[in-house]
Amino acid sequence: MTVTRDEDHVVWAGWRDPAERGFDLPEFRFAADRYEAEVLRAEEDRSWEWPAAVVATLLEAGLRRREDWLARWDCELEAVWASRREPDRIDVVLRHPPGREEADLPWAQFLMTLPISADDPPDQAKRLEAQLTAGDPRATAELCGGYNPGYVGYPWP
């Protein structure tokens, strides 16, 4: 579907389903102020997330605010995520050096798997952020990918 703004309304129209020819639904219109309020409420509601997902979200936000620590090590943050299948851990993925995913230049990808406990998620995120930013993240991370990583100093084991 396509979402557009039409004066005081948000409109959902042009429904498409590639798997079902002739798929058609009517246009839906919502009062823009109520729609925007609901979107903001939904963004703030984290009650559906499990603790590791909350820690991952908070940790990623904290690390993205601290790009200076990665710049010291010539790295960039790719992602922080949690899986419902492994609720007691999160994964942090880094790339060294940054900005090479589009070029035919060598780079290395690093993975750090961090344990998550039943402790308060914001406290855990702060603790993990402090732990990760205390030193070179490549020293404790596992090489997990890249393009010719040996050329940037990280040969495959």
Side-chain angles (χ1 to χ4, degrees):
M1 71 158 153
T2 302
V3 179
T4 58
R5 176 83 182 244
D6 181 15
E7 296 182 18
D8 293 336
H9 291 92
V10 172
V11 181
W12 292 3
W15 297 83
R16 298 172 293 280
D17 183 351
E20 186 179 330
R21 289 181 175 257
F23 179 81
D24 189 33
L25 287 176
E27 175 181 284
F28 289 98
R29 298 179 76 80
F30 306 93
D33 58 341
R34 292 179 55 203
Y35 186 91
E36 290 169 3
E38 182 59 20
V39 168
L40 289 173
R41 186 206 61 76
E43 285 177 347
E44 296 297 319
D45 179 11
R46 300 304 235 208
S47 63
W48 58 272
E49 291 182 310
W50 62 106
V54 176
V55 173
T57 299
L58 295 171
L59 179 60
E60 181 168 10
L63 293 175
R64 292 209 184 276
R65 286 190 299 268
R66 307 252 335 250
E67 288 291 330
D68 60 311
W69 77 276
L70 285 175
R72 277 184 292 180
W73 311 112
D74 201 21
C75 289
E76 68 184 337
L77 180 64
E78 280 192 29
V80 180
W81 76 82
S83 168
R84 282 193 183 274
R85 292 184 193 135
E86 298 170 306
D88 60 344
R89 64 180 249 189
I90 62 174
D91 293 320
V92 178
V93 181
L94 305 174
R95 181 186 316 246
H96 166 79
R100 292 197 171 183
E101 65 277 4
E102 301 290 327
D104 279 343
L105 298 171
W107 55 276
Q109 184 181 53
F110 295 95
L111 170 69
M112 291 177 281
T113 299
L114 307 171
I116 300 301
S117 68
D119 295 347
D120 182 55
D123 290 343
Q124 285 188 79
K126 286 179 188 172
R127 186 177 69 247
L128 291 170
E129 181 181 337
Q131 174 187 330
L132 289 174
T133 59
D136 184 347
R138 299 168 298 176
T140 57
E142 171 189 344
L143 179 67
C144 68
Y147 175 70
N148 292 324
Y151 289 103
V152 290
Y154 298 94
W156 286 111

